[in-house]
Amino acid sequence: MNDIDQIFQKRLSNASVTPPPFVWDGVERELRKKRRRSIFWWSLGLGMLLGVASLTWFGFSKTTPTRHTSTPLTLTANTPSNETHLKVKKAPNVAPLTPNTKQKNTAENQAFNHVLSTKNGLVAPNTSILPPISSPYPTPSEGLPKQNQAGQQSSDAPTFTTSSRVTSPQPLSGTAVSDNPPSFVLASATQQYAALKPLHSSFTLLKSKMAIVNTQKWQQKIIRKKKETDTKCYNFESHANAWLFDAYTGPLYAQKSLSTGSNPENKTYHDLRWNTESHRGLGFTAGARASLLVKQHFSVGTGIDYQQFTEIFSYEKPLYIQVLIDPNTGDTLDLDIVTQRFKQYSRFGFVNIPFSAGYEIRQGRRGVHLRGGGAINLLFWKNGTMLDQTTLQPAKFDTQDAFRVNAGLSLIGSAQFFLHIQPRTRLFAEPYYQRILKPVTKETYPLQQNYNLIGLRLGLTKIF
Amino acid sequence: MNEEALIKACLRGSAQHQRELYERYSGKMFAVCLRYARNSADAADMLQEGFVKVFTKLDQYHFQGSFEGWIRKIMVNTALRTYQRQRFDMEHSGFEVMPDQAVEPDAIARMSEAELLKVIAQLPDGYRVIFNLVAIEGYSHAEVAQTLGIQESTSRSQLTKARRWLCDQLESIK
């Protein structure tokens, strides 16, 4: 190692110099900020976790349909030219089949398929002639009623009538479905079975089977979707008027504008403030709202809303001049100007009474609720630091006569996107825009400070 | 209060003990920062940033090895990151063979630590960082090259120039 290295290492490796006192203040401030941030992120994480957990819980929990189990059920298949009305009775307990009966029914089943496909070319929806693939339910053939010799249906067989020929498959528009696939007898088709038996061909049989299987899959999908919608969505058709209670919270972004108004003499002060303050703030919103939904789609509402956001005030000012003096000679070796940096957080809070009118559009479980209205400010609080208009030095808000006591009226517009997770419960995300109409500063203050707020309300609605 | 108890108290978030720990090590660490910084304001910033890291990463210290060494390493890394952010450029790569200049030890012995720090602070950024890392902290050129993302030959070259620059400065002061 070089001599000079050794000398410097020996002298400086354990050197100690007292740092300026403001360093510790800075450390403390940063630690506080980090602690606050970590609390915020933990709360956000916990909130999201709870949200996901509740979504999972409500979304996947089994709900028992109670409104859709009455018998007999009526399914209506609408066709363009011919309308077929099938009165279907849910099959009572179906006895397990013996191998013989199963074989017999399979033969009948094939015949039915053939009849339907050859006679009409197409098959009716939900005419479960062939067993669905790996269905947990009794096969349709198992559900076929037994006939006595005279061709009469047995007394315990489900009744079924058809008044016209069966035509193309169509989505079901019936208001209800049963849990198990209904089984029934196509009476008219049965009567023609013997006459058409000689025309049996294996090609048409296969074709008709494929058509039926496809129809069943498609049909089951529609039924599942409808069942899901019916069991998780409030029936607004039967309850045209309803109360909606919202509870929400979410992030908030505040955009500040600062102007000299009609007095350009204050430009210097304006620029000083503009350069020492952040132009935007981040915060949160939380609140509760009650709305009356009338005629299924229109709403009026009010509630209570809290918004808070934080801005940063940063300022540098010369603190002292550091002089380096040679102890031996007393000569001044160096002058160093040390600046002190302020970085403080200014907070603004608003308690508002919002009022709104809205219109709701729904499709299945989802929908959009558009709202427009305003908010009356009840409380406007602020705590922070900014440059004083006379001294141009940092000063607390409360020592300056700058802000109004009340922020006044705001205009608000929002679009709420919701999803029913229960018939009477919705989750929603609602982006909104709010414009505070008047400056939050007093008329006597040389500058005008305005705010536009953009937020996202995340919450839950209960319907009563 | 012994060091271990103090660290554990800081881990529990006690502000009073954090202050105590800061006071115990801030002098030495400020000297470290001054060696790397261009001026005392930059050094104060480094010290603040370094101590914030110390308190937030304190749970990563497993009571193995010197605690002072652990803090010093954080300070050095903070200083290096500060200068990497400022994108200081090494003047050029390439190794120059230059004879070591003899320095009269008494000339340095007569100087105070503050004066020595002042001399180091006047070194160009590239020279200063490498001189600190190699000559005072004891890192090898390979480690410095890896840390700063430069070639080993550049590190050697910068060190040689730093030494010559320091000798010239000390001669002129003398």
Side-chain angles (χ1 to χ4, degrees):
Chain A
M1 188 181 270
N2 195 292
D3 284 348
I4 198 165
D5 295 359
Q6 277 181 334
I7 294 163
F8 271 95
Q9 190 183 41
K10 195 176 169 187
R11 295 289 305 278
L12 294 181
S13 60
N14 282 315
S16 181
V17 181
T18 307
F22 60 81
V23 176
W24 171 247
D25 296 338
V27 172
E28 257 190 329
R29 203 166 44 240
E30 286 296 316
L31 289 174
R32 261 202 308 273
K33 197 163 77 182
K34 277 185 186 287
R35 212 171 294 137
R36 267 201 304 266
R37 265 192 211 146
S38 96
I39 289 169
F40 172 78
W41 287 114
W42 273 107
S43 315
L44 192 72
L46 194 67
M48 285 175 76
L49 197 70
L50 282 173
V52 170
S54 51
L55 259 178
T56 312
W57 175 258
F58 286 118
F60 295 100
S61 62
K62 297 270 182 184
T63 51
T64 309
T66 52
R67 294 187 286 137
H68 313 298
T69 52
S70 59
T71 54
L73 303 174
T74 302
L75 303 182
T76 307
N78 295 322
T79 61
S81 55
N82 300 309
E83 287 196 350
T84 304
H85 298 281
L86 308 175
K87 283 188 179 174
V88 180
K89 260 194 177 178
K90 190 179 174 185
N93 294 334
V94 179
L97 291 179
T98 61
N100 289 339
T101 56
K102 195 166 185 176
Q103 193 176 6
K104 185 185 165 192
N105 285 339
T106 307
E108 285 176 356
N109 203 5
Q110 289 173 352
F112 279 130
N113 294 346
H114 173 65
V115 169
L116 289 170
S117 58
T118 53
K119 172 89 175 157
N120 301 310
L122 292 163
V123 292
N126 209 24
T127 49
S128 308
I129 306 301
L130 288 176
I133 295 167
S134 62
S135 166
Y137 304 117
T139 60
S141 61
E142 288 167 333
L144 287 171
K146 297 164 193 156
Q147 289 186 323
N148 57 26
Q149 287 181 340
Q152 299 293 318
Q153 289 180 3
S154 61
S155 60
D156 61 341
T159 59
F160 163 76
T161 59
T162 178
S163 55
S164 67
R165 61 191 188 141
V166 180
T167 56
S168 63
Q170 294 291 325
L172 287 174
S173 61
T175 54
V177 291
S178 63
D179 283 342
N180 296 320
S183 56
F184 47 81
V185 173
L186 297 173
S188 60
T190 312
Q191 287 163 7
Q192 295 172 49
Y193 162 54
L196 294 170
K197 194 172 180 182
L199 297 175
H200 178 275
S201 95
S202 59
F203 176 72
T204 49
L205 181 65
L206 182 66
K207 201 175 166 186
S208 64
K209 271 186 179 178
M210 284 173 67
I212 290 169
V213 168
N214 285 338
T215 306
Q216 283 174 340
K217 281 183 183 173
W218 169 74
Q219 206 176 316
Q220 279 168 1
K221 197 176 170 185
I222 292 171
I223 290 169
R224 261 202 311 275
K225 198 167 180 182
K226 181 162 175 52
K227 193 188 280 185
E228 195 182 337
T229 301
D230 285 349
T231 54
K232 289 190 174 173
C233 188
Y234 187 74
N235 189 348
F236 288 97
E237 287 170 7
S238 59
H239 303 86
N241 298 343
W243 279 100
L244 312 176
F245 289 94
D246 299 344
Y248 58 82
T249 185
L252 174 70
Y253 169 83
Q255 178 69 47
K256 180 168 73 177
S257 64
L258 201 63
S259 67
T260 53
S262 57
N263 194 353
E265 288 174 10
N266 302 315
K267 184 147 188 346
T268 311
Y269 178 51
H270 167 272
D271 291 347
L272 280 170
R273 267 202 66 191
W274 195 243
N275 293 330
T276 52
E277 294 172 24
S278 59
H279 309 155
R280 51 193 69 88
L282 287 176
F284 68 93
T285 179
R289 177 175 53 200
S291 310
L292 178 62
L293 192 73
V294 289
K295 293 184 179 176
Q296 292 191 44
H297 295 290
F298 299 95
S299 75
V300 285
T302 186
I304 188 148
D305 181 67
Y306 178 71
Q307 292 165 310
Q308 183 182 314
F309 58 85
T310 305
E311 288 177 3
I312 298 169
F313 171 75
S314 48
Y315 178 72
E316 285 186 12
K317 71 169 183 181
L319 183 67
Y320 57 85
I321 296 171
Q322 184 174 280
V323 184
L324 191 64
I325 299 169
D326 188 331
N328 299 322
T329 62
D331 295 340
T332 301
L333 296 174
D334 189 33
L335 292 174
D336 201 0
I337 297 172
V338 182
T339 54
Q340 184 173 20
R341 293 173 193 174
F342 287 101
K343 194 175 178 185
Q344 292 193 345
Y345 296 92
S346 302
R347 290 188 177 79
F348 298 86
F350 300 86
V351 178
N352 293 328
I353 299 284
F355 52 89
S356 65
Y359 185 77
E360 183 170 298
I361 308 158
R362 292 178 298 273
Q363 188 174 28
R365 294 165 62 194
R366 298 168 183 82
V368 182
H369 197 133
L370 303 170
R371 292 174 200 267
I376 302 164
N377 182 247
L378 284 187
L379 176 72
F380 170 42
W381 70 265
K382 49 270 167 192
N383 183 19
T385 308
M386 66 178 186
L387 293 180
D388 187 88
Q389 56 179 304
T390 49
T391 63
L392 301 181
Q393 293 297 313
K396 291 276 179 192
F397 288 162
D398 49 18
T399 63
Q400 307 182 54
D401 191 26
F403 292 103
R404 293 193 306 179
V405 178
N406 193 293
L409 200 67
S410 305
L411 285 182
I412 306 176
S414 72
Q416 184 189 77
F417 300 90
F418 61 80
L419 172 74
H420 274 271
I421 52 170
Q422 294 273 290
R424 290 178 181 275
T425 310
R426 288 173 177 177
L427 288 179
F428 68 81
E430 183 180 346
Y432 73 96
Y433 169 78
Q434 181 176 349
R435 165 84 184 169
I436 300 173
L437 290 177
K438 281 187 175 178
V440 294
T441 43
K442 286 183 175 176
E443 288 175 2
T444 52
Y445 186 71
L447 303 178
Q448 292 179 355
Q449 189 168 333
N450 286 83
Y451 283 102
N452 291 321
L453 309 174
I454 297 168
L456 179 66
R457 296 173 181 142
L458 301 167
L460 192 98
T461 302
K462 288 298 286 183
I463 302 172
F464 294 97
Chain B
M1 190 178 236
N2 68 27
E3 194 175 83
E4 190 175 332
L6 186 63
I7 294 167
K8 283 179 179 168
C10 291
L11 280 168
R12 287 194 297 271
S14 162
Q16 182 196 340
H17 291 97
Q18 282 177 342
R19 178 75 192 252
E20 194 179 329
L21 189 139
Y22 170 83
E23 281 173 355
R24 192 176 287 189
Y25 295 105
S26 63
K28 280 186 179 176
M29 296 310 137
F30 190 52
V32 171
C33 294
L34 279 170
R35 278 198 280 114
Y36 286 90
R38 290 172 179 160
N39 51 52
S40 58
D42 283 357
D45 281 351
M46 284 177 195
L47 186 71
Q48 177 180 320
E49 196 181 331
F51 264 101
V52 170
K53 276 185 200 163
V54 166
F55 288 122
T56 49
K57 311 276 181 193
L58 200 54
D59 55 336
Q60 292 176 17
Y61 176 67
H62 302 298
F63 300 96
Q64 288 165 353
S66 155
F67 182 61
E68 188 185 317
W70 185 76
I71 296 181
R72 184 184 287 262
K73 199 164 184 177
I74 287 178
M75 294 296 163
V76 170
N77 286 337
T78 306
L80 292 179
R81 240 188 37 195
T82 303
Y83 279 98
Q84 277 169 346
R85 275 205 297 262
Q86 291 171 355
R87 293 181 180 180
F88 73 89
D89 297 319
M90 299 296 179
E91 276 106 40
H92 66 271
S93 62
F95 181 67
E96 290 177 35
V97 180
M98 286 189 290
D100 286 340
Q101 283 183 271
V103 179
E104 193 183 339
D106 289 349
I108 300 176
R110 283 198 298 272
M111 292 175 76
S112 67
E113 287 170 357
E115 285 172 308
L116 288 176
L117 287 171
K118 187 68 198 170
V119 171
I120 286 182
Q122 286 170 358
L123 273 165
D125 287 340
Y127 294 1
R128 186 173 62 250
V129 170
I130 288 170
F131 182 78
N132 272 310
L133 288 172
V134 179
I136 301 179
E137 311 290 351
Y139 286 92
S140 69
H141 284 293
E143 286 171 321
V144 171
Q146 196 182 359
T147 308
L148 298 178
I150 56 172
Q151 292 178 353
E152 268 190 61
S153 57
T154 309
S155 175
R156 289 180 201 282
S157 159
Q158 298 288 310
L159 181 65
T160 311
K161 287 179 180 177
R163 283 174 185 153
R164 192 170 61 179
W165 192 95
L166 283 172
C167 289
D168 290 347
Q169 285 296 110
L170 293 172
E171 282 297 313
S172 65
I173 291 171
K174 190 170 71 173

